[in-house]
Amino acid sequence: MTKIAFIGLGNMGSGMCANLCKAGHEVRAFDLNAEAMKAAEGHGASAAATVADAVKDVEIVVTMLPAGKHVLAVYFGDDGVAAHAARGTLFLDCSTIAVEDAREAASKADAAGFLMADAPVSGGTAAADAGTLTFMVGGPEEAYAQAKPILDAMGKNIFHAGGSGNGQAAKIANNMLLGISMIGTCEAFNLAEKLGLDAQTFFDISSTASGQCWSMTSYCPAPGPVPAAPSNRDYQPGFAVAMMLKDLHLAAAAAKAAGAEVTLGEMAEKIYQDLDTRGHGGLDFSGVMKDLKRQLD
Ligand code: NAD
């Protein structure tokens, strides 16, 4: 049993916190949202009044926050985690943030005498609730070893991707590929249909041929072939356009900073930006298919 502070009990954090409680850990929960706090108490966590109160006497601090600015403020702002946690406490940030922000946080933690790991997740709220997330961890071996049993309680696949920020790097590179492959899959299904093939026939062929990819076989954007896919419920998420856009912005910024060419990544960013600007940020990211069929305003 480990004493854990869990900060950020939103769509993802709520289920993750519940799974830590279920695994027998002693969890002190904190969120700015009172309803989220109530739900965490219902799952067996104890409610903390402030960040300072949450991190008192814990061994690990887990955060699941919206963006880098929240992560840096919660850990290193006035009255933040670093100001109140006991020396030796591990900082484990599971939010999706910029590689640069993750590295800045790790070096600030190091300067203050704490170990920190970035551990962003793949898998949505269903995986968070079920405890089947994939974690990509960046940080020193010692931090990874300490985090592993905690991550095991919240996820199914845990990878050590290397030093600080490498978890975020793996996450955004993967999601950039996902955005690109989803758009490509939508274009292929739309083309096949226009040329006279029905979706199932094209799926049967392409899913066993060289066009096969996750966007097709697990998340087919054309209704029919993959019953659980959002395409069968009018593209309700799932994984929303706005979320994909966040990850593509992070990928584009990281690519710029690293001098990596990401022509298709930038095109994907533009396509999802356009959908978001037109008011479709809440649509599942496979809804590009709907747009290709001219079914969106
Ligand atoms: P969310 O907005 O539902 O939850 C964030 C929570 O953080 C909110 O409850 C908010 O009140 C709380 N919060 C914000 N600032 C705070 C502060 N200063 N102190 C305490 N609490 C604070 O977001 P989410 O969907 O749970 O996503 C969290 C992270 O996980 C994001 O970085 C997101 O990109 C990433 N992610 C989300 C999904 C998904 O499907 N939702 C999938 C993978 C990764």
Side-chain angles (χ1 to χ4, degrees):
M1 191 270 292
T2 305
K3 289 183 176 176
I4 301 168
F6 201 111
I7 303 173
L9 307 157
N11 293 321
M12 296 294 289
S14 167
M16 293 163 69
C17 176
N19 284 321
L20 289 176
C21 295
K22 214 187 284 171
H25 298 297
E26 194 180 313
V27 184
R28 302 214 15 99
F30 179 69
D31 194 292
L32 299 174
N33 180 315
E35 261 176 49
M37 292 285 291
K38 219 179 270 170
E41 278 188 284
H43 291 133
S46 65
T50 58
V51 166
D53 183 27
V55 305
K56 213 172 118 204
D57 297 331
V58 301
E59 296 151 83
I60 299 187
V61 178
V62 181
T63 43
M64 194 55 168
L65 296 160
K69 64 179 180 194
H70 307 97
V71 171
L72 289 166
V74 164
Y75 280 100
F76 308 107
D78 293 342
D79 256 351
V81 173
H84 294 281
R87 290 287 165 274
T89 305
L90 173 71
F91 298 172
L92 187 57
D93 178 44
C94 300
S95 328
T96 301
I97 68 173
V99 175
E100 259 175 71
D101 287 344
R103 291 185 176 149
E104 181 185 335
S107 89
K108 281 188 163 154
D110 186 50
F114 296 97
L115 270 180
M116 182 159 197
D118 49 292
V121 307
S122 176
T125 52
D129 291 346
T132 56
L133 291 165
T134 293
F135 286 92
M136 294 149 267
V137 187
E141 186 61 51
E142 197 187 340
Y144 177 71
Q146 214 182 323
K148 178 77 167 52
I150 301 306
L151 297 175
D152 281 335
M154 301 186 285
K156 198 170 63 169
N157 298 306
I158 324 290
F159 297 100
H160 189 195
S164 299
N166 279 22
Q168 300 292 350
K171 158 93 190 175
I172 55 160
N174 177 75
N175 277 22
M176 183 183 79
L177 179 57
L178 174 63
I180 293 167
S181 80
M182 179 53 80
I183 294 167
T185 305
C186 290
E187 289 186 356
F189 272 85
N190 191 47
L191 173 65
E193 188 189 315
K194 287 216 184 290
L195 296 176
L197 274 86
D198 64 61
Q200 189 64 53
T201 304
F202 179 62
F203 178 88
D204 291 344
I205 296 166
S206 194
S207 66
T208 52
S210 48
Q212 184 270 344
C213 64
W214 185 92
S215 293
M216 178 186 296
T217 55
S218 294
Y219 213 93
C220 186
V226 177
S231 55
N232 296 297
R233 42 174 205 269
D234 200 23
Y235 301 93
Q236 290 314 297
F239 187 53
V241 163
M243 295 251 181
M244 173 51 82
L245 184 58
K246 172 188 171 181
D247 293 351
L248 289 170
H249 284 329
L250 289 173
K256 198 170 170 198
E261 197 175 310
V262 289
T263 309
L264 292 181
E266 283 169 3
M267 287 175 83
E269 183 188 22
K270 218 183 251 174
I271 287 168
Y272 284 110
Q273 180 67 70
D274 179 53
L275 278 176
D276 190 58
T277 304
R278 286 156 54 209
H280 303 299
L283 193 70
D284 186 76
F285 82 119
S286 61
V288 166
M289 189 72 191
K290 246 188 136 169
D291 206 29
L292 290 174
K293 290 184 159 190
R294 306 282 177 258
Q295 292 170 346
L296 295 177
D297 296 335

